[in-house]
Amino acid sequence: ALSSAISVTTDTVSVPQKVNLSWQSPTRNVDNSCLSGIQAYRLSFGTSSGNYQTIRDLSPGNGDVSCEQTGYDTTCSMQVMTCSYATEPLDSGTWYFVTQAIDLSGVVSGNSNEANKQIN
């Protein structure tokens, strides 16, 4: 004879995931003057909008971030780059991200528009 029906439940397991980010490099400072060049990008992220607990300075020259030319700003005589970076694995929840450019003089730009990603 068959046994009675069996019921199976599983726990939902959240696995940390990397987030692949990409952005276009700026060519202008906040005051609209031309950048002298970019030495690094600052990536800030966290689990609440506008409150970024983690900050990473990413240098295109040492492999932290990959960038390729996708345009040219003729008024600033500067290449426009599209850059990408994969974060370390992040826990479940909504994560918020902004980038800034750090120019050759060490001046940090304003924040980019905030982006967010839900990790399940």
Side-chain angles (χ1 to χ4, degrees):
L2 295 173
S3 65
S4 59
I6 190 169
S7 174
V8 176
T9 60
T10 59
D11 291 333
T12 303
V13 177
S14 174
V15 178
Q17 298 175 20
K18 290 182 178 183
V19 175
N20 295 312
L21 303 167
S22 66
W23 63 91
Q24 192 172 63
S25 64
T27 58
R28 297 180 176 276
N29 292 307
V30 175
D31 67 1
N32 206 30
S33 63
C34 294
L35 280 169
S36 61
I38 296 174
Q39 70 170 306
Y41 295 97
R42 179 164 290 157
L43 171 65
S44 302
F45 55 99
T47 55
S48 62
S49 179
N51 185 18
Y52 314 111
Q53 300 90 4
T54 304
I55 298 172
R56 300 276 183 270
D57 283 350
L58 309 170
S59 175
N62 68 12
D64 288 337
V65 60
S66 62
C67 298
E68 63 181 53
Q69 183 179 351
T70 54
Y72 192 80
D73 182 335
T74 56
T75 59
C76 286
S77 299
M78 187 174 183
Q79 296 176 349
V80 175
M81 308 295 281
T82 297
C83 300
S84 60
Y85 174 77
T87 68
E88 63 266 20
L90 302 174
D91 291 329
S92 64
T94 303
W95 289 83
Y96 299 87
F97 304 87
V98 294
T99 59
Q100 298 169 292
I102 303 171
D103 75 6
L104 298 175
S105 301
V107 176
V108 180
S109 73
N111 286 346
S112 66
N113 292 331
E114 185 179 76
N116 66 69
K117 170 73 174 167
Q118 175 68 40
I119 305 226
N120 298 320

